[in-house]
Amino acid sequence: MSLWTKAQQLEGDALQQVKAVYGDHFPLEVRHFLASWIEQKILWTEIDPENPQHEQYAASLLDSLTHELQVRASSLPADQHFITKMNLVEAANNFQQRYSNNPLSLLRIIKHCLSTELKLVQQAENAGMDFGPAMSSAAAEITQQLDIMRSRTDETAEDLRRMEQEQESFALQYHECTKINAHISHLQNQPQNQTNIDLDKKLRRQKEMMEQMLSQKVTGLMQQRISLTEKLKVTLGLIVTVQGRILDEELIKWKRDQQLAGNGAKFNNNLDTIQEWCENLAEINWLNRQQIKGAERLKNKLPLDNQGVADILPQLNAQITQLLSSLVTSTFVIEKQPPQVMKTNTRFTATVRLLVGGKLNVHMSPPQVKVSIISEAQANALLKNEKLVKGEASGEILNNTGIMEYHAATRQLAASFRNMQLKKIKRAEKKGTESVMDEKFSLLFSSQFSVGGGELMFQVWTLSLPVVVIVHGNQEPHAWATVTWDNAFAEGGRVPFAVPDKVQWPFVAEALNIKFCSQTGRLLSEDSLRFLADKAFRSNNNITDYSNMMLSWSQFCKEPLPERSFTFWEWFYAVMKLTREHLKGPWVDGCILGFVRKKQAEEMLSTCSNGTFLLRFSDSELGGVTIAWIGCSEDSKHSEVFMLQPFTSKDFAIRSLADRISDLQHLVYLYPDICKQQAFSKYYTPFTDAQPNTNGYVKPMLVTQIRGFAGGSSLPPTPHAMFPPQSPDANSVVGENMNGYMSAGDLELFCGGDFTSIEDNIDFQEFMTPYK
């Protein structure tokens, strides 16, 4: 990591001291923009600013510094860095004016600034300061390598400029030599008097001297060409390495993290940083390509004998053009993915972005992007042939074209699709047990444009993450199983959209954990994951270690669970949906154990005091949660464990879980011994006296009760004969059903208020007397 990179990570007083050491004598902008050059040329050199013998080196250093500043200033876009550009030019002029007569003074100042930085950084390192994982790993190395390549590119630009001047000087001298030869030839045809003889001798001496000079210049030009070519070759080698690291590691990692985010994993979206790297790469690639072409142009203007040295400029030109093409095509990315479970005739959005578009001025002629949907087979053929798919797409998408727009504030060239809609889909023929929810499609984004005034033409395309198309909401659970499995277990460089048929349980558990947490706000415990393993492998808790066991796709979402009509994934998905929509608060608080077997719940409660209860997800009911408690019914004096018929989302749409627990006064302690008021009171619906509304009616309130258990409600006793309880299940009866569950009923109660406005003039006080 460079010294300047570390210095920027300092904090507090140390950072202020770094800022304070710079000023008009040596501006901070100069240190920042020439960081790599300054450290390379000054930091680690043995030049002593107090030694007068080093004055000549200091003078050359001053010239190089001002030249570097001018080059860097000229490379900055005036519309985005106008002030910085002006400051760098002004700094270069000031350095020449102030230090041209005493260059050692400038060297002394720079050495002082660098030594201050080094001291503060070393102090921070000794104190154990962490300079940040991002800056100490790949990001810092990539930034440093980009700085080195830019410095080399600036250096070869200067070499090319000097070579061009030398070649122009050679051409002028060669022209003079040609004129002398012509003059000598002319004199040979003139009378041989003394004047002409003397003139002939003089011209021949001039010719000899000039030919010696031309010979020396030829040798010098040959050396310059060889040196420049070697430097360009080394720079291209660095570009290959860094570009491979950015595109094949960092950008691929970003795409993989984006896919995992589809399962709910945390996404460190560093696309802006990657864009900055790619923009630097694009500029370095373009400048080196122009330099190679410039060197070829100079060679063609003045062909020289290479003395057996192979001319590799054409090879370098082809290589840099391929690197630039690869950079452009690889940085056409989907910033916002379309929905991976896509319902027909439903609006959806997506955004594509060209990371190098702004730097290459692609927006000067804004390209159009087209979107189509293709099948897995078409995606496979596309990647094999490396060309756009011909023929029909696999469906029809409305509003599927957009223009890439440049946003100056963010320097982003992107196309946003806000109103796309899939009208119809063409499906492949199914095999075996395949269903439409197993079939994967992908959205193909494609465009074409030119750069460099039409010098280079590009066709770019990119594929979305796999998409499952459904036509009805009941297909959604299985579709999400396909998407979840693909997102979690897709391998890099795969054939679209191949995934393993079997996966080790720890990886499945991790995927389920991330998915559940993203939807509900809390990770699953080890016990919960063990419960899921038992259920997925249908093991009845008789396996002690699942770490090496492979779970198949069929076990995951194809084969029904024993004695059930639904699969493992359908059960898990329903529980996750119920928790997200109705139980999120209590789940995050840890009030719901959830993943507990019925028998285990009975064992846990059997040693507790009466009134202790817990909440577990139902094994038999999709998306159901049941209350298990220990107590005595009105007909029994012995404690036993009861299970309440599971509540589903339909029940919680009528009355929340917390309110239902509040209604049931025989529930006293949340397992193991937490007062239920402490656990659930913040989720109770506030009770207010009902008042007549505008139509003159009093609104009733629903209360949950269980026949056979006293104290079912905190409200006045209920007139059972007049208001019979209603079970969450229309077919269930109050009491114990065939599954061994107790059924709860919802009672409608009139809650206070003035009844005189009701049209039927009934004496309610007299009517209610028998029930007081």
Side-chain angles (χ1 to χ4, degrees), residues 608-768:
C608 297
S609 58
N610 284 352
T612 303
F613 67 98
L614 59 80
L615 299 160
R616 54 175 290 270
F617 297 126
S618 171
D619 287 311
S620 58
E621 183 91 22
L622 271 181
V625 63
T626 185
I627 301 174
W629 79 96
I630 186 169
C632 300
S633 66
E634 292 178 351
D635 300 330
S636 173
K637 295 182 179 180
H638 300 288
S639 296
E640 58 181 307
V641 175
F642 299 91
M643 300 281 175
L644 192 59
Q645 181 170 305
F647 293 114
T648 66
S649 58
K650 291 181 180 179
D651 302 308
F652 293 137
I654 299 171
R655 189 155 176 78
S656 73
L657 173 68
D659 287 343
R660 290 177 183 273
I661 290 173
S662 175
D663 294 341
L664 302 174
Q665 292 188 358
H666 64 279
L667 303 181
V668 182
Y669 302 107
L670 177 66
Y671 181 86
D673 56 3
I674 302 170
C675 175
K676 78 172 181 181
Q677 301 297 330
Q678 178 185 340
F680 294 99
S681 60
K682 65 179 177 180
Y683 300 110
Y684 294 165
T685 302
F687 175 77
T688 56
D689 289 340
Q691 297 295 327
N693 58 20
T694 54
N695 62 9
Y697 288 101
V698 176
K699 185 177 180 180
M701 184 180 74
L702 296 176
V703 176
T704 303
Q705 287 195 343
I706 304 174
R707 180 171 294 177
F709 285 83
S713 172
S714 58
L715 294 171
T718 307
H720 294 285
M722 182 177 178
F723 302 107
Q726 298 173 2
S727 169
D729 184 348
N731 297 319
S732 66
V733 295
V734 177
E736 187 170 346
N737 63 21
M738 291 184 296
N739 293 326
Y741 287 113
M742 300 291 293
S743 297
D746 291 328
L747 276 138
E748 294 187 358
L749 295 179
F750 283 109
C751 304
D754 183 4
F755 298 97
T756 59
S757 59
I758 300 179
E759 292 181 3
D760 295 333
N761 190 12
I762 299 175
D763 187 347
F764 273 81
Q765 296 298 325
E766 179 180 354
F767 186 80
M768 295 293 287

Side-chain angles (χ1 to χ4, degrees), residues 171-199:
L172 290 174
Q173 291 183 1
Y174 183 81
H175 181 65
E176 288 296 320
C177 189
T178 303
K179 286 170 63 177
I180 291 173
N181 281 332
H183 201 168
I184 291 173
S185 297
H186 177 72
L187 285 176
Q188 289 177 352
N189 298 325
Q190 299 298 316
Q192 295 297 308
N193 53 39
Q194 190 62 42
T195 301
N196 288 342
I197 291 172
D198 292 343
L199 180 58

Side-chain angles (χ1 to χ4, degrees), residues 346-350 397-401 416-422:
T346 303
R347 187 177 69 89
F348 65 92
T349 63
I397 299 177
L398 299 181
N399 304 316
N400 67 330
T401 58
S416 294
F417 299 85
R418 298 181 179 87
N419 293 290
M420 286 194 289
Q421 190 175 113
L422 181 62

Side-chain angles (χ1 to χ4, degrees), residues 373-375 394 425-427 439-442 466-467 469 497:
I373 188 166
I374 62 176
S375 67
S394 291
I425 191 70
K426 185 192 300 181
R427 298 191 183 275
E439 188 175 7
K440 302 172 195 174
F441 297 87
S442 181
V467 168
V469 177
F497 294 104

